[in-house]
Structures are given as structure tokens and as C-alpha cells.
């Protein structure tokens, strides 16, 4: 494994850091409310940071999403990449890639996904019917990647007949919405394995986003406890504060390293189903601990809903449940490991 970023990945991450630092300020985020920041999204796409994902791969995307998470920037970057650019590039036909990728890369088209599949949407001859109760960034989307009950993937235009969207407020301001399909026409994307590939990439990418959210929360806590004094000395000199911050740091690094491993394996075309589940589990369980610690270490300020650290708390809790909470992911991981062991035992028996 080699987690060192390539020159292209490092350059893209550096550019994202500069743009997000300049535009994703607390004041602008507060002004955006629960919506997306159109100016910031335009700046990111104009700089080529969406189109670049085709070149820098999932590991490169994870590096960029960490920067988004640090600032909790309200743009549909993660969704457009993992539910649009990456699956279309990997599983689309030549015609689909030529038609969809340029628009997704420039931000003219915005994608999101009705993931994970929970059997709510059925397909009949390319016509989709059903409901996805909370789809992130749906209010910004022009296309939705929809898995049906048989886990086939379909691209649906949000302005197509039979498609209805309505706003939904979640803990994180993701411009989410409820998607209702009534015999809506869908465009098939990829073969039977496309769903598992897209879900693994999405889990890995959103784990990277959670790593950034946690790193940003911890950085705010470190800054606050280093400058806030109590009994004549900084709060950071108290052993309890140091231990809590150290635990949060270790949890954040565990999310990061498992995410890097899953992303690297996916980029290399290696089996990564269990690695993506592991990264998602760390993002869920450890991410929840970190954002709680960040808020707690701010003392009374942590209870202020207008304080920047509260935004990290809300994002962390939303990412804890998105694409599967910790117990669900652990159960799925255990079943996968058991199935792999059974297959290996069967193969050994046949060879004997």
C-alpha cells in the first residue's frame, strides 16, 4: 500500500484547501442556512476540482473531501463525484460517458444518490416507482443515481415526468429532499456489480468526509482549550482535557487510515468490500465520539447553536447514520467475513 499522494492529488488538495479556506467561512455558512453555497460550488468546478476526480481517483477524492469536511462547506461535491462522475466513468457506456461527464465536471449537472438500497424502489421495464425518504443534496441535483429492489442502478433526471422532490431537513444542512417516483423513466447504468461498486466507493468517500469533519472539530477544540484559561492556566494543561483530545485524535486517525486503505484498494482494482465497510464503521462509531468530544471540550460554548463547532457536531451525527449506522455496518461486515470463510473452506475441501 502506498498512501503518499501523487503530484496531481497533492496539487488538487492544495487548491481545494485555498478555495475552501477563502470562501467556506463561518459567516458565509451561517448566511447559507440549510442551502448550498452556489458561489463556492462554482469556484470549485471552475477550478476543475470535480472533473479532476477522473484522474486523481477515489484516494484523491478522499483527500479533497477531507478538506471539505474540515470547513463543513455546503456544496454537493461528494454526492456529484460518488454518485455521478465515478460510477459513470467506471460503468457508463461510451455514449453515457461522453454525454454526462463533461456536464458533471463543470457543475452544469449535479448528481446525488438514493443510497443505500432498502427495497423501496422497484423497476418495471425501465420505469421506476417508489420513495427515497431523505436524499442528500437532492434540491441541487439534476440527476439521481437510484438502485432498485434488485440492486440495478438507474440514472433519473429530477425534471423528468413522474419525478417529484420535496425538501427535507436533516441534522446537517445538505439541501436534502424526499424523492418520489411514479413510473419515472430511468437510464440503466452498468451491470449487476455496479451497485456494490458504487456503494463501496460512496462509503469510502463519506468516511473521508467524516475524517475531515472530525479533524476540523478537533482543531477547534485544541485552539479553544489552548487559549481559554481556568484557575490561571490554559484548559489544555489539565490531564482530563489532554486525554480526551488524545482519544479524539486517535479516533480521527483510525478513520483516516482505514479510509485511505479502502480508497487505495478500490483505485487498484483490488477486493475492497470489507475494507469499505471497515472504514464506514470507524467513520460511524469513532466519528460520533470525536464530534461529541469536540463539543464537550468547548464547555458552555459547545451548547451554543451558532458556534462553528456545533456545525461539526451536526455533520458528524448525520454521517454517523448515513449509509448505515455502526451496528448495521458491523453486522454486514461479520456476514461478509463469514461468507468468505465458508467459501474458502469449500474450496479447500474440493482441492483435498
Amino acid at each position: 500500500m502506498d498512501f503518499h499522494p501523487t503530484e496531481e492529488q497533492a496539487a488538487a488538495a492544495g487548491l481545494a484547501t485555498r478555495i475552501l479556506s477563502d470562501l467556506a467561512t463561518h459567516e458565509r455558512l451561517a448566511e447559507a442556512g440549510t442551502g448550498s453555497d452556489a458561489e463556492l460550488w462554482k469556484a470549485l468546478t471552475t477550478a476543475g476540482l470535480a472533473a479532476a476526480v477522473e484522474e486523481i481517483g477515489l484516494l484523491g477524492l478522499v483527500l479533497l473531501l477531507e478538506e471539505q469536511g474540515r470547513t463543513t462547506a455546503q456544496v454537493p461535491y461528494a454526492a456529484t463525484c460518488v454518485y455521478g462522475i465515478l460510477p459513470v466513468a467506471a460503468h457508463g457506456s461510451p455514449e453515457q460517458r461522453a454525454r454526462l461527464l463533461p456536464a458533471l465536471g463543470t457543475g452544469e449537472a449535479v448528481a446525488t444518490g438514493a443510497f443505500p438500497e432498502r427495497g423501496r424502489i422497484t423497476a418495471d421495464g425501465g420505469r421506476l416507482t417508489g420513495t427515497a425518504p431523505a436524499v442528500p443534496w437532492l434540491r441541487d441535483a439534476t440527476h439521481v443515481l437510484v438502485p432498485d429492489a434488485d440492486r440495478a442502478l438507474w440514472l433519473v433526471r429530477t425534471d423528468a415526468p413522474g419525478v417529484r422532490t420535496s425538501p427535507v431537513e436533516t441534522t446537517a444542512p445538505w439541501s436534502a429532499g424526499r424523492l418520489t417516483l411514479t413510473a419515472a423513466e430511468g437510464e440503466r447504468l452498468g451491470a449487476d456489480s455496479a451497485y456494490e461498486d458504487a456503494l463501496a466507493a460512496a462509503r469510502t468517500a463519506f468516511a473521508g468526509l467524516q475524517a475531515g469533519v472530525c479533524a476540523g472539530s478537533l482543531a477547534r477544540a485544541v485552539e479553544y482549550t489552548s487559549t481559554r484559561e481556568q484557575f490561571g492556566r490554559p484548559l489544555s494543561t489539565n490531564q482530563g482535557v489532554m486525554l480526551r483530545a488524545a482519544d479524539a485524535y486517535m479516533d480521527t486517525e483510525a478513520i483516516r487510515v482505514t479510509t485511505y486503505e479502502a480508497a487505495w484498494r478500490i483505485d487498484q482494482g483490488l477486493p475492497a468490500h470489507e475494507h469499505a465497510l471497515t472504514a464506514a464503521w470507524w467513520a460511524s462509531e469513532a466519528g460520533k465520539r470525536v464530534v461529541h468530544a469536540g463539543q464537550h471540550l468547548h464547555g458552555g460554548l459547545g451548547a451554543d447553536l451558532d458556534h462553528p463547532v456545533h456545525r461539526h457536531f451536526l455533520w458528524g451525527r448525520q454521517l454517523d447514520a448515513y449509509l448505515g449506522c455502526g451496528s448495521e455496518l458491523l453486522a454486514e461486515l461479520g456476514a461478509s467475513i463469514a461468507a468468505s470463510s465458508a467459501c474458502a473452506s469449500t474450496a479447500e475441501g474440493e482441492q483435498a
Side-chain angles (χ1 to χ4, degrees):
M1 291 179 290
D2 183 4
F3 298 158
H4 291 92
T6 64
E7 184 177 345
E8 292 79 9
Q9 291 170 340
L15 180 57
T17 300
R18 291 194 295 273
I19 294 174
L20 293 168
S21 298
D22 289 342
L23 295 180
T25 62
H26 175 58
E27 292 73 22
R28 286 178 58 87
L29 290 169
E31 184 180 349
T34 61
S36 295
D37 188 331
E39 181 182 348
L40 175 56
W41 178 233
K42 183 177 180 180
L44 291 170
T45 54
T46 300
L49 291 176
V53 173
E54 288 186 72
E55 300 297 327
I56 63 177
L58 184 56
L59 182 56
L61 174 61
V62 164
L63 297 175
L64 299 182
L65 290 180
E66 281 191 77
E67 299 306 321
Q68 181 186 357
R70 290 178 200 275
T71 57
T72 60
Q74 292 171 201
V75 288
Y77 186 61
T80 293
C81 292
V82 296
Y83 297 130
I85 293 173
L86 289 179
V88 170
H91 300 286
S93 67
E95 186 277 331
Q96 286 175 320
R97 292 196 293 271
R99 171 167 47 89
L100 295 169
L101 289 176
L104 290 167
T106 61
E108 178 185 350
V110 174
T112 188
F115 276 62
E117 179 278 317
R118 299 192 186 278
R120 296 189 179 100
I121 296 175
T122 58
D124 183 9
R127 297 284 178 173
L128 305 177
T129 299
T131 300
V135 179
W137 287 290
L138 181 61
R139 282 175 264 173
D140 300 322
T142 59
H143 295 76
V144 187
L145 190 65
V146 178
D148 65 22
D150 295 322
R151 297 191 170 184
L153 286 185
W154 305 85
L155 268 176
V156 177
R157 289 190 60 92
T158 55
D159 60 358
V163 178
R164 182 163 60 88
T165 64
S166 54
V168 169
E169 298 301 332
T170 64
T171 54
W174 287 353
S175 298
R178 179 184 179 89
L179 177 69
T180 303
L181 304 175
T182 307
E185 184 177 356
E187 177 182 359
R188 181 68 187 270
L189 183 69
D192 294 340
S193 64
Y195 172 80
E196 294 297 340
D197 291 347
L199 181 58
R203 281 173 166 162
T204 303
F206 280 99
L209 187 63
Q210 181 76 303
V213 169
C214 291
S217 174
L218 182 57
R220 291 187 182 280
V222 169
E223 180 182 10
Y224 175 76
T225 57
S226 298
T227 55
R228 177 77 164 91
E229 292 190 356
Q230 188 178 59
F231 305 118
R233 60 194 179 110
L235 286 172
S236 59
T237 61
N238 293 321
Q239 187 178 41
V241 171
M242 288 189 287
L243 291 174
R244 191 80 190 274
D247 286 343
Y249 173 78
M250 294 302 295
D251 273 337
T252 301
E253 289 302 297
I255 300 171
R256 178 178 288 115
V257 72
T258 53
T259 301
Y260 285 7
E261 181 180 13
W264 179 83
R265 290 183 67 89
I266 290 172
D267 284 343
Q268 298 298 314
L270 298 172
H273 174 68
E274 293 171 7
H275 301 80
L277 282 169
T278 301
W281 181 83
W282 274 104
S284 176
E285 292 293 303
K288 181 167 51 182
R289 291 195 296 266
V290 173
V291 295
H292 273 266
Q295 192 171 32
H296 186 203
L297 289 172
H298 276 77
L301 282 179
D304 182 359
L305 302 185
D306 295 324
H307 194 279
V309 76
H310 189 67
R311 189 177 293 108
H312 290 269
F313 175 78
L314 294 180
W315 276 60
R317 289 310 307 259
Q318 186 69 36
L319 287 166
D320 160 38
Y322 185 56
L323 297 182
C325 65
S327 57
E328 291 177 317
L329 295 165
L330 195 60
E332 187 177 343
L333 178 59
S336 179
I337 293 173
S340 298
S341 298
C343 289
S345 298
T346 301
E348 290 176 1
E350 291 176 351
Q351 290 176 358

